[in-house]
Amino acid sequence: MGCDVLVIGGGATGLGVVRDAAMRGWSAVLVERVDLGQGTTGRFHGLLHSGGRYVVSDPRSATECAEENAILRRIAADAVEDTGGLFVTTPADDPAYADRFLAGCAEHGVAAEEVPVAEALRREPRLNPAISRAFEVADASIDSWTLLWGNARSAREHGARILPYHWVTGVLRDGDRVAGVTAQDNRGHREVRIEAGFTINAAGVWAGQLADMAGCPGVTVVPGKGIMIAMNHRLVGTVINRCELPGDGDILVPIHTVCVIGTTDVKAPTPDDLSIARDQVQEMLDAGEVLVPGFRESRALHAWSGSRPLFTDERADGAQDTRHMSRGLALVDHLERDGVEGFLTITGGKLTTYRLMAETVVDAMGEQLGDPRPCRTAAEPLPGSEDGRPYWLGSRLRRQEEVMPDDQLICECELMQRSRLEAAAASRPGLNLDDVRRVLRLGMGPCQGGFCTYRAAGVLHAIGDADGPRADELLLQFLHHRWLGIEPILAGRGMRQACIDDWIFQGALDVEHLPVTPPA
Amino acid sequence: MTRVAVIGAGLAGLVCALRLAQGGADVTVFSRGTGGLHLTPGMIDVLGYAPERVEAPGETLAGWVAARPEHPYAQLAGAPLEEALDWFRGVAAPLRYGGDLAANMLLPTAAGVARPTAMAPAGMAAGDLRGGRRVVAVGLRALKDFFPAYLADNLRRAALPGGAAVEARHAVATWSPRPGADVQGHYFARALDEPGARAGLAAELRAIVEPGETVLMPAVLGMRASAEAWEDLCERAGAPIAEVPTLPPCIPGMRLNLLLTRALGEAGGRMVVGPEAVGVDGSGGRIDAVRIRDAARVRAVPADHVVLATGGFESGGVELDSYGAVREPALGLPVAGPPGGGRGLGPRHLDEHPLMAAGVRVDDRLRPVDASGAPVWGNLRAAGSIIAGAVPWREKSGEGIAIAAGHRAACTILEDT
């Protein structure tokens, strides 16, 4: 297989890069070691930043966020819910920060307006009534998977090939030039060789490992692990931020039918460490109490962790040449830095700035190739967003009402129909139930897979996508993966649900004695 | 007349209340909801895995409780359990429960596992896989909770004693009680109470089934508390049919609930659904009244005896707070949490999670005890999955514990009066 541009990493950045390159007319291929959006992109809190969070601590990122926020509302409307955002000064916050915040917003292009406390409390009745100030900003929530699929579809329409479950095993070198990769196709169980004129490392928190493989050592991406907890209801309808310097548990994001509190920041030993420490769970719940009194009594639905790619360069020593932009977004030019041609690394950044990161690295590639071509991603909407209408909470229900008499509802919590599951399986044979979850939100609602898991395995078996042993494995694997995010936060009604689910799966179905070995 | 307040309307609470009413007590069941039987598949598990699959539950129980003095069966195995199951068999006669403590049946689950259970209604017992069987799993096109091909596929690979094998194929029937692609099980069940509907389904089954086959169908063959619809359908189809329970709500559990609540009413017992027990009044080690919260007030309901049958975590009978503490919310009884004092949760879903066995400890008369082993109240008993020490869905022991404890609690109250 050969191409002009090979992109490594199927997160938002990689998909943004492959779309951008394909739109500029280069033949492009993307490889992802597991499923698209299975890394940091699918493991965040769902916040489309207004920029307000960074106006004091990281003004450059603040401006980037503000600009990209406006662009994404246009090009990815389908993924964005216009919740609006509030920064509030709680009794636990330094009251002097609010004025620095307002000044920072004004200076760095982040729209913010003070609203009376009474008005903020009218809008958000559960908010801590002891807040002393409130500021309205353009925060929104964004579904990173919808964003990702939009980019993937658009990239394919422009001729790109996207290969999930392709694990890079080696980087090809042709003298001083990176010439592509070898990868293990974990679905086809074979090794593939992809030759590329140019290779872009968009592996996010794994970018240092990839640079090592390419013979460019010392690119250090520190996994800044954070945990997030989804609560069963939208305790707030607006994104709520603590008006203080960025800290732990200072953001509450309403997204889909839940709200998500985030997050912590702990240096993880490896990017693959997704463990959820109990003390961090307690810290998040305490933080939730500061924003919404009674938070602990609400039902926690699911917890997860993700690692931010925090870039440091051992070779740069503070020099500006290898890091073209602020600490948020890091472009590493391996020609300048390592004397290696045809290879660029883009890392750091935030979901909100994924498009800008893509534009930045593809621009740099064009420059190195002596073939600069203009970027069009800021103007051209993603498929599904052409009408510019943002996502709204009732959109799934509306679709369900249209098909109700003719279709079966497989996941009642997330309104997922059988026809949609069958279509997903037809377009991606061999998918697992976590893949289905990332596309169709299977099992993400209040019962956390209690009813839909058996049905989804049954449907995939019925249409011939999975044989008996595979269906068993899918079922057990999904239950186990759900457990990883449920166990750390088990309490109250969540505990009750978990036990009801155990009655269903172990009590009624006896799944622990299915004729397969439970997957590791 | 002795006044007894039973709190909770699951299997344990209903068994206890019915036995008490039959024994002449003045019984009222207080239940926050409609009870947990709607969620259960209607089999009577006694002990299915220990942890290997149990062939003879009666025999295995002796060794099981010797090794587990904290298990509910330590107070119930032997005569109390046997008497309770004999009593239950009589009470549940219209559903024709078969099976006993001598040997577990192996009944197919909707996922195609040969699952051990001690007793089951005749319609389910007909699917016993011991000794092997030829089956055709027949789904209903508009019912999404039953996948006949998946069931058949797994049954072919089921490990049966003595190397017996299941020959399995599958088919789908299109009969439906109403239009639409997504029809809930209870619509099928209610419709199949009528002979005309059964004739329609039977016509399809006759065309599907081959001689020597047992038809495995989702357990939606009639809603009434009797075996009549199932028997009639077998006759009309000209083939043995076995019901396989589906996802909740489970019709066989609903039938059993209907049977027990009706029998309770006929025996003079009362049910009050909605109010919540929030405490007790008492002195001198005895309860005088249960405090019941109605819509807007708390009132004291006088009682000579109280039975707590509020279930485990799944029913809200035991609660875990966000700091990790376990409590019994209705009466504030002492709770035995996971042994060793840790969280009691393992990293793998199918691990044993000791926290799940949390509950109240009881003495030999099923009275909740404190840390020193003394009864908290002389006239309070506990029954069912609120009793600490069991993880019923793993052990497949839930109904055995519920029936034995409910029955035993009633008998000890009747002895005391």
Side-chain angles (χ1 to χ4, degrees):
Chain A
M1 196 184 307
C3 56
D4 297 335
V5 186
L6 174 69
V7 182
I8 302 168
T13 309
L15 267 302
V17 172
V18 79
R19 174 182 188 237
D20 191 333
M23 283 172 71
R24 298 196 209 193
W26 280 296
S27 71
V29 173
L30 179 144
V31 288
E32 160 56 44
R33 63 175 200 166
V34 280
D35 192 23
L36 302 182
Q38 197 168 326
T40 309
T41 294
R43 305 185 147 274
F44 85 133
H45 41 45
L47 173 60
L48 181 66
H49 277 281
S50 61
R53 175 49 64 222
Y54 303 109
V55 288
V56 174
S57 62
D58 186 0
R60 190 162 194 170
S61 292
T63 306
E64 286 168 10
C65 282
E67 289 169 2
E68 289 299 308
N69 178 305
I71 292 169
L72 293 191
R73 284 166 183 265
R74 280 201 312 273
I75 68 158
D78 192 35
V80 176
E81 182 184 347
D82 186 15
T83 59
L86 286 171
F87 277 73
V88 296
T89 304
T90 76
D93 301 324
D94 173 12
Y97 181 82
D99 288 327
R100 290 170 65 200
F101 169 80
L102 258 191
C105 286
E107 189 179 343
H108 303 294
V110 175
E113 194 175 333
E114 181 150 17
V115 292
V117 166
E119 169 60 17
L121 292 174
R122 189 194 62 75
R123 238 184 266 180
E124 291 299 342
R126 287 176 190 260
L127 199 53
N128 188 341
I131 59 169
S132 54
R133 297 182 76 177
F135 306 93
E136 190 176 13
V137 296
D139 287 335
S141 63
I142 182 164
D143 183 314
S144 61
W145 290 308
T146 305
L147 178 73
L148 211 60
W149 310 133
N151 274 281
R153 274 177 63 193
S154 171
R156 287 200 188 99
E157 283 165 12
H158 287 91
R161 290 191 64 185
I162 292 165
L163 307 173
Y165 293 98
H166 278 62
W167 197 299
V168 171
T169 51
V171 174
L172 303 174
R173 286 286 295 263
D174 174 13
D176 286 340
R177 197 179 71 84
V178 168
V181 298
T182 53
Q184 179 65 32
D185 171 359
N186 285 327
R187 286 283 162 82
H189 304 289
R190 66 204 168 105
E191 178 107 331
V192 294
R193 182 185 167 91
I194 305 168
E195 285 168 9
F198 209 99
T199 301
I200 293 176
N201 172 13
V205 75
W206 293 270
Q209 294 175 12
L210 255 300
D212 276 348
M213 289 169 76
C216 305
V219 175
T220 304
V221 182
V222 178
K225 189 172 76 170
I227 73 157
M228 283 138 282
I229 301 174
M231 308 303 285
N232 191 28
H233 298 285
R234 287 169 70 122
L235 299 171
V236 292
T238 309
V239 175
I240 305 295
N241 305 265
R242 294 262 296 269
C243 195
E244 58 166 24
L245 284 165
D248 290 347
D250 54 2
I251 302 174
L252 188 57
V253 183
I255 181 162
H256 295 292
T257 58
V258 304
C259 66
V260 178
I261 185 142
T263 171
T264 50
D265 192 350
V266 175
K267 183 176 170 179
T270 81
D272 296 302
D273 172 29
L274 296 172
S275 61
I276 298 165
R278 184 75 184 151
D279 58 339
Q280 289 186 46
V281 169
Q282 292 298 320
E283 197 186 321
M284 281 303 99
L285 296 177
D286 285 339
E289 284 288 330
V290 175
L291 291 170
V292 173
F295 192 84
R296 275 181 173 275
E297 305 305 313
S298 315
R299 177 174 161 193
L301 205 53
H302 204 87
W304 64 94
S305 68
S307 279
R308 308 167 181 83
L310 300 177
F311 175 73
T312 57
D313 192 341
E314 289 168 12
R315 291 196 184 174
D317 293 330
Q320 292 301 302
D321 54 344
T322 55
R323 190 193 280 189
H324 288 186
M325 291 194 156
S326 77
R327 76 169 172 91
L329 179 162
L331 174 68
V332 186
D333 183 339
H334 294 288
L335 181 57
E336 264 180 55
R337 178 184 182 276
D338 307 293
V340 173
E341 274 181 72
F343 187 57
L344 289 169
T345 291
I346 181 82
T347 186
K350 285 167 269 296
L351 187 101
T352 302
T353 57
Y354 90 96
R355 193 211 61 84
L356 177 64
M357 293 168 71
E359 178 178 344
T360 304
V361 73
V362 178
D363 280 351
M365 175 182 78
E367 216 172 285
Q368 194 178 120
L369 292 171
D371 182 13
R373 304 179 189 181
C375 175
R376 295 187 287 128
T377 56
E380 198 163 309
L382 294 166
S385 295
E386 294 88 350
D387 62 6
R389 287 218 319 249
Y391 167 89
W392 66 290
L393 192 50
S395 56
R396 282 201 160 205
L397 185 57
R398 184 173 56 189
R399 185 158 46 201
Q400 170 60 16
E401 283 168 345
E402 284 164 8
V403 301
M404 201 142 51
D406 312 315
D407 209 344
Q408 291 182 336
L409 204 48
I410 297 300
C411 173
E412 279 98 350
C413 303
E414 294 288 346
L415 298 176
M416 186 201 84
Q417 298 89 6
R418 182 172 180 145
S419 61
R420 302 192 75 205
L421 174 57
E422 291 180 352
S427 68
R428 297 174 63 195
L431 82 184
N432 65 42
L433 297 186
D434 274 300
D435 297 338
V436 176
R437 175 177 65 85
R438 283 182 284 270
V439 186
L440 299 172
R441 301 186 64 78
L442 178 82
M444 291 182 75
C447 84
Q448 289 287 296
F451 288 77
C452 58
T453 305
Y454 164 71
R455 292 181 190 144
V459 168
L460 292 180
H461 182 275
I463 62 174
D465 196 59
D467 63 9
R470 171 74 177 159
D472 295 345
E473 187 190 310
L474 292 178
L475 187 151
L476 292 176
Q477 182 190 53
F478 193 62
L479 289 179
H480 176 59
H481 286 170
R482 297 275 77 196
W483 176 253
L484 296 178
I486 292 171
E487 182 274 322
I489 43 113
L490 265 190
R493 285 169 189 272
M495 178 67 173
R496 187 170 181 174
Q497 182 73 56
C499 290
I500 290 172
D501 289 354
D502 279 348
W503 270 111
I504 295 174
F505 286 103
Q506 299 184 44
L509 299 175
D510 202 6
V511 299
E512 68 273 37
H513 298 99
L514 283 168
V516 290
T517 313
Chain B
M1 232 170 149
T2 309
R3 293 162 305 180
V4 187
V6 176
I7 306 167
L11 185 57
L14 291 178
V15 160
C16 185
L18 178 55
R19 181 66 191 87
L20 283 163
Q22 288 175 339
D26 173 12
V27 188
T28 307
V29 177
F30 294 96
S31 173
R32 202 164 51 180
T34 51
L37 273 171
H38 300 73
L39 303 178
T40 71
M43 299 164 288
I44 306 302
D45 291 346
V46 171
L47 187 64
Y49 294 95
E52 296 306 315
R53 191 162 70 193
V54 172
E55 287 189 14
E59 201 181 302
T60 307
L61 265 180
W64 169 266
V65 298
R68 292 170 186 77
E70 306 288 345
H71 194 277
Y73 274 136
Q75 315 288 5
L76 299 167
L81 174 65
E82 285 163 29
E83 281 166 26
L85 292 180
D86 284 344
W87 173 88
F88 176 81
R89 199 175 282 110
V91 164
L95 290 169
R96 293 179 36 205
Y97 272 81
D100 53 39
L101 291 174
N104 273 330
M105 294 180 258
L106 291 176
L107 302 187
T109 74
V113 176
R115 180 190 184 288
T117 194
M119 291 169 65
M124 272 188 232
D128 191 355
L129 299 167
R130 284 176 299 169
R133 193 176 280 273
R134 277 181 63 205
V135 302
V136 55
V138 179
L140 293 162
R141 185 185 284 167
L143 181 73
K144 65 188 169 191
D145 291 335
F146 188 82
F147 292 89
Y150 180 42
L151 165 57
D153 203 331
N154 274 341
L155 275 188
R156 282 194 290 272
R157 291 180 292 129
L160 299 178
V166 177
E167 226 179 283
R169 62 184 188 96
H170 76 278
V172 177
T174 58
W175 180 82
S176 179
R178 61 194 331 233
D182 194 350
V183 178
Q184 309 289 318
H186 59 89
Y187 288 109
F188 283 94
R190 291 218 167 79
L192 289 170
D193 280 335
E194 304 308 320
R198 296 198 288 265
L201 177 56
E204 272 196 81
L205 294 179
R206 275 199 305 275
I208 288 169
V209 69
E210 289 169 8
E213 282 182 332
T214 299
V215 181
L216 300 183
M217 291 212 67
V220 297
L221 309 181
M223 184 65 97
R224 290 195 193 119
S226 81
E228 186 196 322
W230 163 73
E231 259 179 348
D232 180 56
L233 196 65
C234 291
E235 202 168 297
R236 287 171 188 269
I241 300 173
E243 290 195 298
V244 177
T246 61
L247 294 179
C250 295
I251 310 296
M254 294 169 81
R255 289 179 200 139
L256 182 55
N257 184 67
L258 189 64
L259 183 142
L260 292 174
T261 52
R262 190 176 290 161
L264 176 62
E266 284 165 4
R270 279 182 306 276
M271 278 194 68
V272 184
V273 178
E276 184 176 10
V278 294
V280 289
D281 297 332
S283 59
R286 290 187 73 83
I287 295 171
D288 304 323
V290 186
R291 300 178 67 76
I292 299 289
R293 180 161 58 209
D294 280 330
R297 64 190 174 131
V298 175
R299 64 194 165 102
V301 177
D304 301 312
H305 292 272
V306 177
V307 180
L308 189 66
T310 45
F313 288 114
E314 70 282 359
S315 313
V318 185
E319 285 181 358
L320 177 71
D321 75 13
S322 66
Y323 296 96
V326 181
R327 61 184 203 106
E328 186 284 298
L331 310 186
L333 297 173
V335 171
R343 276 189 86 216
L345 292 169
R348 299 184 54 80
H349 178 236
L350 294 178
D351 282 353
E352 189 163 2
H353 306 296
L355 174 63
M356 306 293 194
V360 300
R361 286 232 165 84
V362 294
D363 67 6
D364 60 349
R365 297 178 77 73
L366 301 186
R367 292 175 299 192
V369 295
D370 60 21
S372 73
V376 180
W377 299 99
N379 57 346
L380 172 67
R381 283 154 180 89
S385 55
I386 190 163
I387 302 176
V391 183
W393 52 81
R394 272 180 80 81
E395 303 160 3
K396 276 60 173 178
S397 64
E399 291 79 15
I401 294 169
I403 293 173
H407 187 265
R408 169 86 178 139
C411 290
T412 61
I413 289 171
L414 293 170
E415 281 164 19
D416 278 2
T417 57

